[in-house]
């Protein structure tokens, strides 16, 4: 699955669960999305770095090549994330591909 489809699924699920105190990270986890944890973690960090999600803490030790997410992981979508979901052509293409494949969460 390409990165834009994964990003769409993450943002869409976070949008659906806005304000839901029962939301569990598993709903957008690497296992649920069927991707390696490392890839999932880096995608969440990119989404956070670019302002599309908030609620994650990132750290990096001297021996780490990449930054990592610290527990607890409690992401939520931002206004910028909502705008991206609504307007981005990559998201529209990913949404259409997923709809056709019957994969929309």
């Amino acid at each position: 699955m390409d990165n834009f489809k994964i990003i769409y699924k993450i943002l869409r699920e976070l949008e659906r669960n806005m304000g839901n105190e029962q939301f569990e990270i598993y709903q957008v986890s690497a296992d649920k999305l069927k991707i390696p944890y490392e890839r999932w973690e880096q995608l969440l960090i990119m989404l956070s770095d670019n302002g599309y999600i908030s609620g994650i803490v990132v750290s990096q030790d001297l021996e780490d090549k990449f930054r990592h997410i610290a527990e607890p992981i409690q992401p939520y979508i931002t206004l910028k994330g909502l705008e991206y979901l609504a307007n981005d052509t990559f998201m529209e293409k990913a949404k259409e591909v997923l709809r056709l494949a019957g994969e929309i969460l």
Side-chain angles (χ1 to χ4, degrees):
M1 183 179 308
D2 79 37
N3 292 326
F4 289 108
K5 290 178 193 175
I6 296 166
I7 289 169
Y8 176 81
K9 285 184 172 189
I10 292 169
L11 290 176
R12 184 74 174 143
E13 194 63 28
L14 293 177
E15 177 193 32
R16 285 185 182 154
N17 284 283
M18 287 174 51
N20 178 3
E21 299 217 7
Q22 306 306 314
F23 175 75
E24 294 289 332
I25 189 66
Y26 178 76
Q27 294 172 256
V28 293
S29 69
D31 286 340
K32 180 87 173 190
L33 296 168
K34 297 179 176 109
I35 61 172
Y37 179 86
E38 296 80 9
R39 182 174 176 196
W40 174 82
E41 183 179 49
Q42 294 308 308
L43 287 171
L44 282 183
I45 291 169
M46 281 192 289
L47 286 168
S48 180
D49 286 350
N50 287 286
Y52 298 112
I53 65 170
S54 196
I56 64 169
V57 176
V58 178
S59 66
Q60 184 172 14
D61 294 332
L62 292 174
E63 63 271 359
D64 291 335
K65 185 174 180 178
F66 300 102
R67 295 180 298 156
H68 298 283
I69 298 174
E71 300 283 340
I73 302 171
Q74 299 175 330
Y76 58 89
I77 194 165
T78 64
L79 180 58
K80 187 174 179 179
L82 291 171
E83 290 171 347
Y84 188 72
L85 255 184
N87 298 322
D88 191 72
T89 57
F90 281 120
M91 290 296 104
E92 284 302 314
K93 288 178 186 176
K95 180 179 176 181
E96 182 62 19
V97 167
L98 291 172
R99 185 188 68 75
L100 292 173
E103 293 183 14
I104 292 185
L105 298 173

